Amino acid sequence: MLKSILKTCLLILSGTGIKASTKSDLSSLEWENRLVIVNIKKNDNKNLSEIKSWLKEHNCYNEELNLKFIHFTDGENQYYQTPTYLNMTGTWLIGYDGEIKAFSKKLNLLNQIHNLIDQMPIRKAEIQQQKSRC
């Protein structure tokens, strides 16, 4: 009897979104990574292709910047909880401090991200302390 009640409770809990709570909060990446958050519509293959191309082309410099790219589709990501500001499609640059540094409704922000980051005080200090390997 107790076993069947326990099984029933587990079945109920598994269907109530408990699984979603195992997703990481983006704030867990603060002071470790700068973030590029992109939210696109499902089946937006053109933008997905553009993103993959940009990531491949800029892989070395993105690593040097501690830049982590996180992709959401219709506001969903299998590893991370959806942040409150992600209420539309677009591209966000999030600084080490977890604050939004730039936003664009389109992907054109990708082409500006490196310049924006290189103007930030922490990045200027990083440039002085380390030689670029890219």
Side-chain angles (χ1 to χ4, degrees), residues 105-122:
K105 289 184 178 184
K106 301 192 178 193
L107 288 179
N108 61 354
L109 182 60
L110 291 178
N111 298 320
Q112 302 166 22
I113 282 179
H114 295 143
N115 290 333
L116 290 169
I117 293 172
D118 284 344
Q119 298 306 310
M120 295 176 181
I122 292 175

Side-chain angles (χ1 to χ4, degrees), residues 74-93:
D74 292 328
E76 292 294 323
N77 179 287
Q78 72 182 70
Y79 303 109
Y80 294 99
Q81 295 173 10
T82 304
T84 56
Y85 56 81
L86 202 81
N87 57 1
M88 65 182 100
T89 58
T91 307
W92 290 260
L93 172 62

Side-chain angles (χ1 to χ4, degrees), residues 60-66 123 130-134:
C60 183
Y61 202 60
N62 289 343
E63 284 182 14
E64 192 170 293
L65 293 173
N66 294 322
R123 177 62 185 150
Q130 65 188 9
K131 184 178 176 187
S132 177
R133 52 183 162 52
C134 302

Side-chain angles (χ1 to χ4, degrees), residues 38-89:
V38 174
N39 185 33
I40 63 173
K41 296 277 186 198
K42 187 177 181 179
N43 299 325
D44 187 350
N45 296 325
K46 181 182 180 252
N47 280 333
L48 193 55
S49 176
E50 189 177 329
I51 291 165
K52 286 179 181 180
S53 176
W54 184 86
L55 287 170
K56 185 176 181 180
E57 181 181 345
H58 299 287
N59 184 53
C60 183
Y61 202 60
N62 289 343
E63 284 182 14
E64 192 170 293
L65 293 173
N66 294 322
L67 195 61
K68 185 172 180 77
F69 183 88
I70 301 174
H71 168 242
F72 286 80
T73 301
D74 292 328
E76 292 294 323
N77 179 287
Q78 72 182 70
Y79 303 109
Y80 294 99
Q81 295 173 10
T82 304
T84 56
Y85 56 81
L86 202 81
N87 57 1
M88 65 182 100
T89 58

